[in-house]
Amino acid sequence: MNDTNPMEWTMKDDIYWMRKVIRLAEKGRGRTSPNPMVGAILVKDGIPVGEGYHAKAGEPHAEIIALQKAGDKARGATLYINLEPCSHYGKTPPCAPALIEAGVKKVVVGMEDPNPLVKGRGLEMLRNNGIHVEVGVFKQACLELNEAFSKYIQSGKPFVTLKIAATLDGKIATKQGESKWITGESSRRFVHRLRNSADAIIIGIGTILRDDPLLTARMKGGRDPYRIVLDSRLRILEGAKVIHQKPEKTIIATTESAPKEKREALEKKGVQVMTLEAQQGRVNLRSLLSRLGEMEMTSLLVEGGSEINGSFLNEGLIDKLFLFLSPKVLGGQALEMFGGKGVETLEKALLLNRLKMRRVGEDILIEGYPKKVCSQGS
């Protein structure tokens, strides 16, 4: 220990606590929207004296909970937190003044608040009151933790994750449309965790008519997202599961060409029918994302079929991709992952960066971000 560079040891120490902070913040996944996930730990003489995480929008922030648990022990302590403490009033009071009043000596921050209106102001307030501040510790992990919040707060639109389950030869269903189950049970459990963390799932009317899915997060303590059905002509059957089970969590996105009588009948069942402008006879996806952003939805999971996947690809609306590859081969005229016109040259191909690959049961999961997302630091 005596041979260790003090600065190097301090950085290792900071990363150690920041890892714990991120695990704390993760406890709020799927429940804090439109707020970010935040964890906070107060450490004094190498010992944690108070910790907390933001559990739900409108409830106390992580650092406030940590201060309450620490009490007088917060004086002279170091706060580890993955996101810059706020300095403005929202649904709850600002946190930076509370840290100053409690006598916190140092604050180690994973990333600045991405909100252009407040970015850096909380840090400046802390520094102006004699608190030592370090920013950027374990930054990439902190950025990925709140990638949906970052996009939403800067653009007003939700973060779009596309999930695909396919065979090794890129097929998502047989030529007769059979797709249950291409991937294994472990992958399906993973997808339910994705649903639990998303504000909404987007699916096409073709999948609804063929499979009649419920689209819930079937896991212990799971939270069911909104189900958004893209149905430009309101072909959905009134007996569909997404209408009869939790209709208040169902949004059907349609166009002016949909029958008025069908729209009214669905609304009487408690379903929200969202009429949007059409693009080549289909729901305009950019208009849809804007409307969902206005509803304070920060994250969307697309579980569409070939045509829906192709539409999001062609419009450049994919922010993140989860591709589950099963050790199966269908061949022939089985359904491809992406429909639509596709690209004409390799130069226009979607390039994925920050790729991760892992085994999920018998399947392989490939996770990546389109280049445009990486360049924005999300």
Side-chain angles (χ1 to χ4, degrees):
M1 181 70 71
N2 294 333
D3 295 332
T4 304
N5 184 308
M7 185 63 70
E8 180 183 351
W9 175 252
T10 299
M11 180 57 69
K12 289 180 179 179
D13 209 34
D14 288 348
I15 291 176
Y16 170 82
W17 290 113
M18 196 61 75
R19 286 182 187 274
K20 288 185 171 293
V21 161
I22 290 177
R23 285 197 289 270
L24 259 181
E26 282 275 5
K27 292 184 177 182
R29 183 173 289 280
R31 289 152 180 81
T32 64
S33 182
N35 290 353
M37 290 175 279
V38 183
I41 301 177
L42 280 162
V43 178
K44 194 171 185 178
D45 299 325
I47 299 172
V49 294
E51 65 180 39
Y53 70 95
H54 186 44
K56 187 178 179 181
E59 295 188 3
H61 289 186
E63 51 268 59
I64 299 300
I65 298 172
L67 287 173
Q68 290 171 346
K69 291 183 177 180
D72 293 339
K73 294 179 181 178
R75 188 163 298 278
T78 296
L79 175 73
Y80 290 91
I81 187 166
N82 59 291
L83 184 69
E84 173 185 356
C86 61
S87 59
H88 65 290
Y89 279 88
K91 293 181 179 179
T92 57
C95 299
L99 296 171
I100 295 166
E101 184 178 352
V104 171
K105 181 180 180 180
K106 179 180 176 181
V107 176
V108 179
V109 180
M111 61 177 284
E112 288 187 339
D113 190 325
N115 188 338
L117 299 177
V118 299
K119 186 176 182 180
R121 292 184 181 179
L123 303 177
E124 183 181 8
M125 180 182 291
L126 296 175
R127 291 184 176 115
N128 289 342
N129 283 273
I131 296 177
H132 179 67
V133 177
E134 290 185 14
V135 184
V137 174
F138 219 42
K139 183 177 180 180
Q140 188 57 44
C142 294
L143 287 168
E144 290 185 11
L145 176 70
N146 279 308
E147 58 195 3
F149 169 75
S150 293
K151 181 188 176 184
Y152 169 75
I153 204 67
Q154 294 178 83
S155 70
K157 296 181 177 63
F159 186 91
V160 177
T161 299
L162 178 64
K163 185 277 298 182
I164 301 176
T167 60
L168 285 179
D169 56 339
K171 312 295 185 179
I172 62 173
T174 67
K175 63 181 180 180
Q176 281 81 26
E178 182 184 354
S179 60
K180 291 184 177 181
W181 296 104
I182 280 183
T183 51
E185 185 177 342
S186 296
S187 293
R188 297 198 294 275
R189 286 199 299 267
F190 191 103
V191 170
H192 285 296
R193 293 199 296 272
L194 290 178
R195 290 178 179 178
N196 173 65
S197 66
D199 288 336
I201 300 171
I202 294 183
I203 196 166
I205 184 58
T207 303
I208 292 287
L209 295 175
R210 183 179 64 249
D211 299 333
D212 194 22
L214 189 54
L215 300 174
T216 53
R218 293 185 286 279
M219 55 180 286
K220 185 178 180 180
R223 161 194 153 277
D224 292 332
Y226 279 91
R227 290 86 58 96
I228 301 172
V229 182
L230 298 175
D231 186 4
S232 58
R233 301 194 304 277
L234 286 186
R235 292 188 291 144
I236 193 167
L237 302 177
E238 293 185 31
K241 290 178 181 177
V242 294
I243 292 175
H244 279 271
Q245 298 193 43
K246 297 186 178 181
E248 72 280 1
K249 298 284 286 187
T250 299
I251 298 171
I252 301 181
T254 190
T255 65
E256 291 288 353
S257 63
K260 181 180 178 182
E261 297 78 11
K262 185 71 172 286
R263 185 184 297 114
E264 292 174 348
L266 290 169
E267 289 174 339
K268 285 181 180 179
K269 292 181 179 294
V271 172
Q272 179 178 343
V273 180
M274 184 182 292
T275 304
L276 298 157
E277 63 181 271
Q279 182 177 18
Q280 296 180 343
R282 299 181 178 182
V283 171
N284 186 304
L285 295 179
R286 294 183 183 275
S287 297
L288 173 63
L289 295 185
S290 295
R291 185 78 67 85
L292 296 177
E294 292 169 2
M295 296 172 63
E296 295 190 330
M297 291 193 188
T298 64
S299 58
L300 304 179
L301 178 64
V302 179
E303 292 196 50
S306 179
E307 291 303 314
I308 299 298
N309 295 345
S311 295
F312 274 89
L313 174 66
N314 293 335
E315 291 291 325
L317 298 177
I318 302 170
D319 294 311
K320 189 174 186 176
L321 174 68
F322 282 101
L323 173 58
F324 295 86
L325 287 177
S326 163
K328 300 181 178 78
V329 175
L330 293 180
Q333 299 176 3
L335 198 60
E336 303 282 355
M337 287 189 284
F338 293 95
K341 60 183 180 180
V343 298
E344 296 178 354
T345 65
L346 285 175
E347 290 181 349
K348 296 180 180 179
L350 181 71
L351 176 64
L352 295 177
N353 286 334
R354 286 156 53 196
L355 286 177
K356 296 178 183 177
M357 296 181 63
R358 53 182 145 158
R359 289 290 298 270
V360 179
E362 63 189 30
D363 306 316
I364 298 171
L365 171 59
I366 301 174
E367 176 184 344
Y369 298 82
K371 187 176 181 181
K372 66 181 180 64
V373 178
C374 299
S375 65
Q376 294 170 356
S378 62

